[in-house]
Amino acid sequence: MRSAMRPHGIRAQQREQTRQALLREGRRLFAGSGYGAVGLAEIVQAAGVTKGALYHHFTGKADLFRAVLEESQQEVARRVAVAADVHDDPWARLTAGCEEFLTATADPDIQRIMLVDGPAVLGWSEWRAMDEAASARHLADALSLLIDGGIIPPQPVAPLVHLLSGAMNEAALWLASSSDPADLDHTKAALARLLGALRTG
């Protein structure tokens, strides 16, 4: 019984390896050249697979990009969660998570995939839905906790989430065009002042 199942397990492992190779090389090429400059032939050649193998996993280049974007968003969300979870104090968790978002998105590869090509390739509505699924929920949870604890005045959470998320995305885009390394620290300081204004006292 076990030996009969083994070939199926090997095939599943090979399929997953193929998918990971496509994601890895797709991400490298999209980040390096931009979505528009990368062709399917270049991706499959870099991954060492056939176009048929790519179409087995993805419907085309846009679908592969969507998976690369989702992977990048989840990576940033994990980094934010790790930075926040170091702290027990809810306010420190919020500020550390927001600062880590800016640090993570200062990576040029993340900037191009998440903030430049993401909305352009998938459209604003789909990009926003993916962005919310990846990170907005965590921000909403952090803000809700602060409101419940009386650290932030009672108010609807959704507008605050969108305002802060939009501000941080815009700051990350601005940092992408900046040539001054000090701008990241200046932006974090400005963010700290912005967040500080939310506190009750």
Side-chain angles (χ1 to χ4, degrees), residues 24-138:
R24 184 179 63 251
E25 295 304 322
R27 177 170 176 163
R28 182 180 66 81
L29 291 166
F30 291 144
S33 304
Y35 178 86
V38 178
L40 277 181
E42 188 178 1
I43 295 169
V44 296
Q45 182 179 3
V49 302
T50 63
K51 277 192 179 179
L54 183 144
Y55 284 117
H56 178 77
H57 294 279
F58 305 101
T59 58
K61 188 172 79 162
D63 194 35
L64 172 61
F65 178 81
R66 184 180 293 105
V68 167
L69 171 60
E70 185 176 20
E71 190 179 68
S72 300
Q73 289 174 325
Q74 289 172 351
E75 177 188 314
V76 171
R78 280 193 299 271
R79 287 183 57 174
V80 167
V82 167
D85 288 346
V86 169
H87 303 276
D88 294 324
D89 176 69
W91 182 259
R93 288 170 64 86
L94 173 71
T95 54
C98 290
E99 284 189 5
E100 182 57 32
F101 176 83
L102 290 178
T103 301
T105 54
D107 180 329
D109 291 358
I110 293 290
Q111 287 169 346
R112 183 186 280 275
I113 291 168
M114 265 184 61
L115 302 172
V116 178
D117 281 349
V121 174
L122 300 182
W124 186 248
S125 295
E126 184 175 358
W127 177 83
R128 280 191 61 215
M130 291 177 68
D131 185 55
E132 285 188 33
S135 61
R137 180 172 49 83
H138 300 295

